Amino acid sequence: MKKTTALAHANIALVKYWGKRDSRLNLPAVGSLSMTLKALSTTTSVEFQEGLSIDTLSINGSDAGEKQTRRASAFLDLIRKDAGIQHGAIIESVNNFPTGAGLASSASGFAALTVAAANAAGLDLSPTRLSELSRQGSGSAARSIFGGFVEMKLGEKADGSDSIAVPLHPAEHWPLAMLILITSEAEKPIGSTEGMNLTAETSPYYPAWVDTSPDDIAIAREAIVARDIEKLGEISEFSCFKMHGLAMSANPAIIYWNGLSVTLIHEVRRLRAQGIPAYVTMDAGPQVKVLTLPEYVEKLTGLLSEIKGIRQIISTELGGDARILPE
Ligand code: PMV
């Protein structure tokens, strides 16, 4: 069987996904809306080999360890089932950014794995089917199949076939920029699945979170059509802080921020008050992402890099679809 290599970009949700309505199929409790990021990507190669009874996974050149390998293997079982094969696979995955620190490595990781594994198994699948499969690896990965602005549909079918991402606009529709401020490279204390489940079980705010999500998505969609940075920035911050407030209202509280994250949140808001279009978003980790327009990237990078403790600033524009790379 042939070896296939695929690349997928990470994505950052502007309207967040937090909560599952079905754990087995990994169906989200809310829809979400994201932008795909050009500068952050995972490149993954997959080769199914006859006679191989297990899968091996390396990430950034080192053996991935049991937990991650088991997760990738369980995912490859879906591909093997579709393709009617039973061979084990050799998976080699490389991220061009820190892994596991709330930088959406599972999104680009599972999207790249889906595209590479499906092709290596001889399947010719539509982007929609690839997105549906990716979702079962990681909810946010369903969005990384597509470039530009992407919406993850909540769906309503029990089999999950309509819980898929759809491309809204390609990257060229609206050149936006995002700065990613790395405040720590430590692994996050609680993973997103565990965090979501604890939140759904214990937070009294959870029903309100689920109920108010469709409105946020509708507003973000309109803002993107109109290329209205203020409207998109405001709804993004609202969704982000609603998600983090929700996580903090779990019992025990889930707090992804560190002290520097808080400092940066205030700093971005201070700069905005001075007229710079800059809006914060954060995921299941302490990194602060700043949505802005390309013409402000240089100025913002200069101002923010004066703050002590930031390890790295990654600047990115919107990226394209997940794709197979030539061997
Ligand atoms: O798909 P997961 O399990 O990586 O969850 C992603 C959750 C957030 O990044 C916090 C929000 C989102 O919509 O990407």
Side-chain angles (χ1 to χ4, degrees), residues 49 94 151 169 196 204 210 235 247 253 266 281:
Q49 286 189 351
V94 176
E151 182 179 339
H169 305 276
M196 287 180 198
V210 172
I235 195 66
H266 288 294
T281 188

Side-chain angles (χ1 to χ4, degrees), residues 213-229:
S213 159
D215 286 350
D216 298 347
I217 292 179
I219 292 168
R221 251 195 248 124
E222 284 167 16
I224 294 168
V225 168
R227 300 186 184 88
D228 184 337
I229 185 72

Side-chain angles (χ1 to χ4, degrees), residues 15-93:
V15 178
K16 304 290 183 192
Y17 148 55
W18 196 255
K20 299 178 195 290
R21 69 171 199 280
D22 177 313
S23 289
R24 192 181 60 87
L25 288 171
N26 205 28
L27 302 179
V30 292
S32 53
L33 190 149
S34 60
M35 52 192 263
T36 298
L37 306 180
K38 190 172 186 178
L40 305 187
S41 59
T42 302
T43 302
T44 299
S45 69
V46 176
E47 186 174 12
F48 291 98
Q49 286 189 351
E50 238 168 283
L52 198 64
S53 59
I54 54 157
D55 300 310
T56 64
L57 169 65
S58 79
I59 298 182
N60 297 337
S62 316
D63 181 50
E66 202 192 318
K67 197 173 154 205
Q68 303 228 56
T69 306
R70 229 187 303 121
R71 192 171 167 196
S73 254
F75 179 74
L76 283 193
D77 287 344
L78 303 172
I79 304 273
R80 281 187 277 257
K81 194 172 156 218
D82 265 24
I85 58 172
Q86 272 153 15
H87 322 305
I90 296 170
I91 315 163
E92 289 168 346
S93 191

